[in-house]
Amino acid sequence: MKKWKAPATVLLSLYVPPGRPIADVLNNLRQELSISQNIKLKRTRDAVEAAISAAIDRLTQLPKVPDNGIVLFSGKNFDTEEFKCILFSPPEKVSIYFYRTDKEFHTEFLEDMIEENDVYGLLIIERDEATIGMLRGSRLEVLDELQGYIPGKHHKGGQSQRREARIIEELVHEFHKEVGDRANSYFLPYLESKKLKGILVGGPGFAKQDFVEGDYLDYRLKKLVMEPLLDVSYQGDNGLREMVTRAGDALKGQKLVEVQKALEEIKYHLAKADDLVVYGRKEIETAMDAGALEYLVVYEDDNTASLIQRAENSKVNLYVIGDEVPEAEWIRKTFAGAVGKLRYKL
């Protein structure tokens, strides 16, 4: 819903906390529906009225507000002409009453709820280059990329060489200090909210050791630096992925690591052509019913929602992914959004 945009304020977002009578909410919406008749532009007026009317229709079917409250999104996607009215109870309690029609749906209150509790800071450091990132569940994010100007070593001798070596050392120190300050600003809020579980530090050379041993990170963050420091060849997104892969057992149980492991195993069995990979809705459900499905990787969208629900009810080892996983498009296009590994051939 976050991706939907509109040329006018026609997308309705509604948050209702527990304890609020449904009748009160319906009265407010009916008042808004009456007010919307004053909108001059017919296309906008029709879209707002349709969004509010659909919301009223859905809410009248509820006897009361659930224990965690309700969230409702209603409106038309002007790019696709698709209309949706989605009503659900979120994973945590809604704390406010919020109603608005806008050019986008207001998902920010939900994002706080679904943010992973286990967060890992990621830092790739060289003498003149650094990448700061974050691992939240299966979402790997580049937060910042920094570059410093550190001149290469020269071949002069004597005092000139020693002087230039001191200058280079000072430049490296200043760059690492900048990286440390930036990393502190990103990681400390997660530490203070008790979500930061550890920090992975890596790089191609000895700079990572110098950085960790220096006083560049806040002392509270230094305690969370995980051993061993990792040899990483790249910067940027590729470097962060390499780091997470190399971390291995240190991140065991993290969703992204488990998903990547599952996908590598699927690729291995596809290459062997040993019939242990299953895809296609009918084939997956047959394997599920037979108890032969070891795990299932599903790209989450409207087309796979019912399959995800069925897998959850069957207690299959399920990995639900989004676009944050590099292979997401491959799974979506090649396997219609779902691919699994069998325990044995069917």
Side-chain angles (χ1 to χ4, degrees), residues 131-167:
T131 301
I132 301 171
M134 193 77 76
L135 175 63
R136 302 183 185 94
S138 65
R139 191 168 72 223
L140 193 63
E141 182 181 0
V142 175
L143 299 175
D144 214 336
E145 295 181 85
L146 299 91
Q147 284 189 324
Y149 173 69
I150 312 295
K153 295 180 180 179
H154 64 84
H155 300 288
K156 295 178 182 179
Q159 190 173 356
S160 176
Q161 184 179 24
R162 290 192 294 273
R163 183 172 61 250
E164 189 142 340
R166 286 196 301 271
I167 293 172

Side-chain angles (χ1 to χ4, degrees), residues 284-294 314 316 342-344 346:
I284 289 172
E285 290 181 346
T286 298
M288 204 181 298
D289 293 340
L293 191 60
E294 183 177 347
S314 301
V316 169
L342 296 173
R343 303 179 192 279
Y344 51 83
L346 286 176

Side-chain angles (χ1 to χ4, degrees), residues 30-71:
R30 290 184 181 115
Q31 290 174 10
E32 293 293 337
L33 183 61
S34 177
I35 294 170
S36 69
Q37 295 172 7
N38 298 322
I39 299 173
K40 294 181 179 180
L41 190 63
K42 184 179 185 302
R43 187 186 186 200
T44 302
R45 182 173 66 250
D46 290 347
V48 172
E49 289 179 349
I52 299 176
S53 296
I56 291 173
D57 182 61
R58 293 297 300 276
L59 287 169
T60 53
Q61 300 174 41
L62 281 182
K64 67 172 186 175
V65 175
D67 291 341
N68 279 0
I70 54 176
V71 179

Side-chain angles (χ1 to χ4, degrees), residues 223-339:
K223 295 177 182 178
L224 291 179
V225 172
M226 302 167 68
E227 295 290 346
L229 304 184
L230 301 165
D231 291 326
V232 180
S233 307
Y234 305 99
Q235 291 283 345
D237 184 71
N238 289 336
L240 295 183
R241 294 191 182 281
E242 181 187 4
M243 172 182 279
V244 169
T245 300
R246 287 184 180 276
D249 292 340
L251 292 179
K252 191 174 182 179
Q254 275 300 111
K255 185 179 176 184
L256 180 62
V257 176
E258 298 298 314
V259 168
Q260 294 291 359
K261 182 180 177 182
L263 291 173
E264 289 303 316
E265 190 173 14
I266 284 171
K267 292 174 186 176
Y268 169 77
H269 288 290
L270 283 172
K272 285 186 67 177
D274 56 10
D275 297 327
L276 288 178
V277 176
V278 60
Y279 51 92
R281 180 64 179 259
K282 182 178 178 181
E283 290 79 2
I284 289 172
E285 290 181 346
T286 298
M288 204 181 298
D289 293 340
L293 191 60
E294 183 177 347
Y295 57 78
L296 182 65
V297 182
V298 184
Y299 177 85
E300 186 175 25
D301 61 13
D302 291 340
N303 296 325
T304 59
S306 59
L307 182 61
I308 291 171
Q309 185 65 53
R310 178 162 182 177
E312 288 174 341
N313 293 338
S314 301
K315 297 183 180 178
V316 169
N317 195 2
L318 176 66
Y319 302 107
V320 180
I321 66 168
D323 292 328
E324 72 279 356
V325 176
E327 292 87 348
E329 187 173 2
W330 174 62
I331 291 172
R332 184 169 59 84
K333 290 185 176 180
T334 307
F335 306 108
V339 60

